[in-house]
């Protein structure tokens, strides 16, 4: 009876150790995801996410989800394949938004005095929720690549529409028609990205008038499928547990 | 029943503290606090002096407020890297095969805590100061590679997490039997990849000096950083190695004293 009690006490202790270990393990995981995914995004999406007046109908809905699917797909692979946790994409995008929101407020707004509206970050969370949902329900990376990858990119623009639509209202300024976002951009000079570097609304796609955005979203959705597959494979490569004997 | 209770109490009283595996918990919290306090302090310093003294690198006051900070950082890093490497190597475990299960479990906790401090340093360098660099470039025309934010992100942020990453690798090598004889591919990639951001600074500054001055963040002069940071994904493999080993250790711990 005593040894049974000891065994129970030992089992409880092991459960406690295991849970404490999981909790402590979360801290480096989340911090490294914030630090690295955020850095990857600012150096690939960069100004399309930094500035309100870069969030156009053509490039922003393509560049952001296509670059943004990288870490979610790779982390999702590892967490699902080895730990059966269908939360990889959502965790990544929440970390990303947290990292971006902190910096936008404390760096752009409080240090260099840009209005927070000009530097609002976009969110990838709705697409990531769908990506995880498709994986959870289909239990297939193949289906997730096709359906989840497409949804991740396709919902990006509509999911952010409620946040940024007010700034796309037309306004006449000094005799020219532009958006409120453009006026905000012209009002706050940015020597690092002068106007001649603002890559928005370029190319013949704008001749499609109101179809420009759906076409961009659809294009992003199609391209997100192979990119999801590629990043899943990269996630697989980095999930290796190999050891080597020497360098 | 009372006899059983007293016996269990007796067993527990002879056991170490109920949180024996968190032996380095206080040091961990202290280290996290130290990293955060240092970076918050630096951010406040930037807020107080960057606009007044950091806009023109040819002014004598720039030397006082910013180049002096740069020299302090470099001195600190040299001392810190020597201290960390020396400490870990000189106090290495030379009898790892005789390691008790409890001790190994405790060391895994410490290893993860070290990873937490590394993660905190990665966060400040890669996320906060990494993007804050763009905020500064949009507010001031650059006339030097040593701007008030570069001095922090490139010459403190990146080296600091590199040193902590090296420490993480060395800790595993010198204290954990799993990593004693063989070299873990994912752990090495997870540490060496982000370290490569440091040499990428050279490519970046070369690009901005001879190619174009503007700070389009998605431009190819920054791709060195991007590719390097992707290697942090090897954290996945490292965690799988750790979880697998902890699982074995906890099974052994359950069987111990039965």
């Amino acid at each position: 009876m005593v040894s049974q009690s000891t065994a129970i006490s030992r089992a409880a202790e092991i459960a406690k150790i295991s849970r404490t270990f999981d909790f402590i393990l979360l801290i480096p995981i989340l911090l490294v995801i914030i630090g690295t995914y955020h850095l990857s995004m600012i150096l690939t999406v960069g100004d399309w996410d930094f500035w309100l007046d870069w969030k156009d109908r053509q490039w922003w809905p393509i560049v952001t989800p296509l670059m943004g699917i990288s870490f979610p797909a790779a982390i999702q692979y590892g967490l699902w394949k080895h730990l059966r946790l269908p939360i990889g994409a959502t965790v990544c995008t929440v970390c990303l938004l947290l990292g971006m929101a902190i910096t936008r407020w404390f760096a752009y707004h409080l240090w260099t005095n840009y209005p927070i509206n000009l530097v609002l970050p976009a969110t990838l969370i709705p697409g990531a929720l769908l990506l995880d949902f498709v994986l959870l329900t289909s239990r297939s990376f193949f289906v997730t690549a096709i359906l989840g990858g497409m949804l991740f990119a396709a919902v990006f623009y509509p999911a952010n529409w409620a946040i940024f639509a007010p700034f796309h209202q037309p306004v006449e300024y000094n005799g020219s028609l532009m958006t409120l976002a453009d006026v905000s951009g012209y009002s706050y000079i940015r020597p690092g990205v002068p106007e001649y570097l603002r890559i928005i609304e370029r190319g013949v796609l704008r001749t499609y008038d109101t179809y420009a955005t759906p076409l961009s979203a659809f294009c992003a959705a199609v391209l997100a499928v192979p990119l999801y597959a590629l990043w899943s494979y990269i996630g697989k490569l980095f999930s290796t547990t190999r050891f080597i004997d020497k360098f | 029943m009372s006899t059983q209770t007293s016996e269990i109490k007796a067993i527990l009283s002879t056991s170490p503290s109920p949180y024996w595996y968190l032996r380095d918990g206080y040091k961990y919290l202290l280290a996290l606090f130290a990293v955060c306090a240092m970076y918050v302090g630096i951010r406040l310093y930037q807020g107080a002096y960057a606009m007044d003294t950091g806009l023109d690198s040819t002014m004598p006051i720039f030397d006082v407020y910013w180049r002096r900070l740069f020299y302090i950082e470099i001195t600190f890093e040299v001392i810190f890297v020597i201290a960390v490497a020396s400490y870990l190597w000189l106090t290495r475990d030379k009898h790892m095969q005789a390691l008790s299960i409890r001790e190994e479990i405790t060391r895994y906790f410490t290893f993860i805590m070290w990873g937490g401090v590394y993660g905190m340093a990665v966060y400040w360098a890669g996320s906060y100061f990494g993007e804050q660099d763009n905020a500064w470039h949009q507010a001031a025309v650059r006339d030097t590679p040593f701007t008030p934010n570069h001095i922090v992100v490139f010459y403190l942020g990146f080296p600091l997490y590199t040193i902590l990453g090296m420490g993480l690798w060395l800790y595993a090598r010198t204290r954990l039997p799993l990593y004693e004889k063989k070299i873990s591919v994912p752990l090495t990639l997870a540490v060496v990849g982000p370290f490569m951001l440091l040499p990428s600074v050279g490519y970046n500054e070369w690009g901005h000096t001879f190619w174009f001055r503007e700070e389009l963040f998605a431009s190819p002069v920054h791709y060195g950083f991007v590719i390097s940071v992707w290697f942090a994904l090897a954290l996945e493999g490292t965690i799988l190695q750790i979880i697998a080993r902890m699982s074995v250790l906890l099974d052994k711990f359950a069987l111990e004293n039965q």
Side-chain angles (χ1 to χ4, degrees):
Chain A
M1 191 64 184
V2 174
S3 73
Q4 192 180 3
S5 303
T6 311
I8 291 168
S9 141
R10 178 56 60 94
E13 188 177 18
I14 288 169
K16 197 166 66 179
I17 294 171
S18 179
R19 281 166 199 156
T20 311
F21 190 77
D22 288 347
F23 179 74
I24 290 184
L25 195 56
L26 269 180
I27 296 166
I29 292 172
L30 296 179
L31 287 169
V32 170
I33 289 176
I34 298 176
T36 55
Y37 185 31
H38 186 187
L39 189 63
S40 174
M41 285 296 281
I42 62 177
L43 296 171
T44 51
V45 178
D47 298 276
W48 280 286
D49 194 71
F50 298 149
W51 311 111
L52 186 64
D53 57 334
W54 276 67
K55 292 181 170 66
D56 70 334
R57 300 174 302 168
Q58 290 183 20
W59 292 100
W60 177 56
I62 293 178
V63 176
T64 312
L66 291 187
M67 293 295 110
I69 204 166
S70 54
F71 275 57
I75 300 280
Q76 193 189 48
Y77 178 89
L79 285 186
W80 177 253
K81 181 78 178 175
H82 300 286
L83 304 174
R84 274 294 181 264
L85 287 171
I87 54 169
T90 308
V91 166
C92 285
T93 51
V94 170
C95 285
L96 175 68
L97 188 61
L98 186 66
M100 290 197 302
I102 290 170
T103 313
R104 300 295 159 89
W105 181 260
F106 287 99
Y108 291 84
H109 187 62
L110 294 184
W111 192 31
T112 51
N113 301 313
Y114 287 107
I116 194 68
N117 277 346
L118 184 66
V119 293
L120 276 180
T123 177
L124 286 163
I125 294 173
L129 282 167
L130 289 169
L131 198 61
D132 281 335
F133 174 76
V134 172
L135 180 63
L136 176 64
T137 49
S138 69
R139 294 169 178 264
S140 158
F141 285 112
F142 182 74
V143 173
T144 308
I146 294 171
L147 188 59
M150 287 183 85
L151 284 171
F152 181 84
V155 303
F156 173 72
Y157 197 91
N160 283 279
W161 180 243
I163 304 169
F164 297 107
F167 305 107
H168 285 189
Q169 298 303 307
V171 59
E172 190 188 320
Y173 185 70
N174 286 342
S176 298
L177 182 66
M178 55 188 75
T179 66
L180 281 170
D182 290 328
V183 176
S184 299
Y186 295 140
S187 304
Y188 290 89
I189 303 300
R190 289 155 292 172
V193 277
E195 183 58 22
Y196 58 83
L197 276 182
R198 190 158 68 114
I199 305 169
I200 64 156
E201 303 279 338
R202 288 191 188 175
V204 293
L205 192 62
R206 64 183 310 183
T207 60
Y208 287 108
D209 190 31
T210 55
Y211 300 110
T213 305
L215 284 172
S216 296
F218 185 73
C219 172
V222 171
L223 292 174
V225 175
L227 276 176
Y228 177 88
L230 174 69
W231 278 100
S232 279
Y233 185 68
I234 291 172
K236 182 182 180 182
L237 291 179
F238 281 122
S239 297
T240 179
T241 52
R242 270 189 63 202
F243 284 90
I244 52 174
D245 289 333
K246 54 187 174 185
F247 284 118
Chain B
M1 187 66 186
S2 62
T3 312
Q4 289 165 14
T5 310
S6 62
E7 283 183 32
I8 289 170
K9 279 182 181 170
I11 291 164
L12 288 174
S13 67
T14 55
S15 301
S17 152
Y19 293 102
W20 48 269
Y21 41 88
L22 295 176
R23 184 178 61 198
D24 294 310
Y26 288 115
K27 288 180 201 163
Y28 177 46
L29 293 177
L30 192 66
L32 285 179
F33 176 78
V35 172
C36 288
M38 181 186 73
Y39 280 123
V40 169
I42 285 172
R43 170 62 186 81
L44 292 172
Y45 182 83
Q46 286 177 322
Y49 301 112
M51 290 296 178
D52 292 336
T53 65
L55 293 174
D56 185 348
S57 70
T58 61
M59 297 288 283
I61 201 165
F62 188 92
D63 288 347
V64 175
Y65 281 87
W66 301 104
R67 285 198 209 282
R68 190 174 287 171
L69 177 64
F70 171 73
Y71 296 133
I72 292 169
E73 288 170 2
I74 298 298
T75 309
F76 161 73
E77 284 150 17
V78 171
I79 294 168
F80 189 56
V81 71
I82 292 170
V84 168
S86 306
Y87 172 77
L88 288 171
W89 185 251
L90 295 175
T91 59
R92 68 188 182 279
D93 189 346
K94 294 173 184 167
H95 307 287
M96 241 187 279
Q97 299 312 319
L99 201 60
S100 71
I101 293 169
R102 277 178 187 267
E103 179 59 23
E104 192 174 344
I105 289 172
T106 305
R107 287 185 187 183
Y108 270 99
F109 272 90
T110 304
F111 181 51
I112 294 304
M113 289 174 193
W114 194 298
V117 181
Y118 171 69
M120 185 58 84
V122 168
Y123 161 71
W124 280 103
S127 177
Y128 185 77
F129 286 103
E131 187 172 340
Q132 183 175 265
D133 196 42
N134 184 57
W136 179 257
H137 283 308
Q138 305 307 333
V141 177
R142 64 190 287 157
D143 65 345
T144 171
F146 297 94
T147 66
N149 198 66
H150 280 188
I151 284 173
V152 177
V153 67
F154 289 164
Y155 307 107
L156 176 65
F158 291 176
L160 181 64
Y161 79 66
T162 299
I163 295 168
L164 289 168
M166 176 210 70
L168 187 72
W169 194 93
L170 262 181
Y171 184 92
R173 184 75 173 171
T174 56
R175 281 152 176 82
L176 300 174
L178 185 66
Y179 300 93
E180 183 197 8
K181 303 282 185 199
K182 294 179 179 178
I183 291 161
S184 162
V185 172
L187 178 62
T188 306
L189 288 177
V191 170
V192 172
F195 155 74
M196 288 303 290
L197 264 79
L198 202 53
S200 297
V201 171
Y203 169 57
N204 171 57
E205 293 306 325
W206 171 83
H208 284 304
T209 306
F210 297 107
W211 193 354
F212 65 90
R213 184 204 59 79
E214 295 91 338
E215 271 294 342
L216 181 68
F217 250 48
S219 75
V221 289
H222 296 148
Y223 289 176
F225 296 125
V226 179
I227 293 165
S228 303
V229 85
W230 287 345
F231 279 79
L233 287 167
L235 190 68
E236 288 187 70
T238 311
I239 287 164
L240 291 174
Q241 285 178 337
I242 294 167
I243 289 174
R245 181 63 186 160
M246 271 299 279
S247 181
V248 171
L249 284 173
L250 289 176
D251 285 347
K252 284 185 182 173
F253 184 65
L255 295 171
E256 201 181 45
N257 300 326
Q258 265 195 359

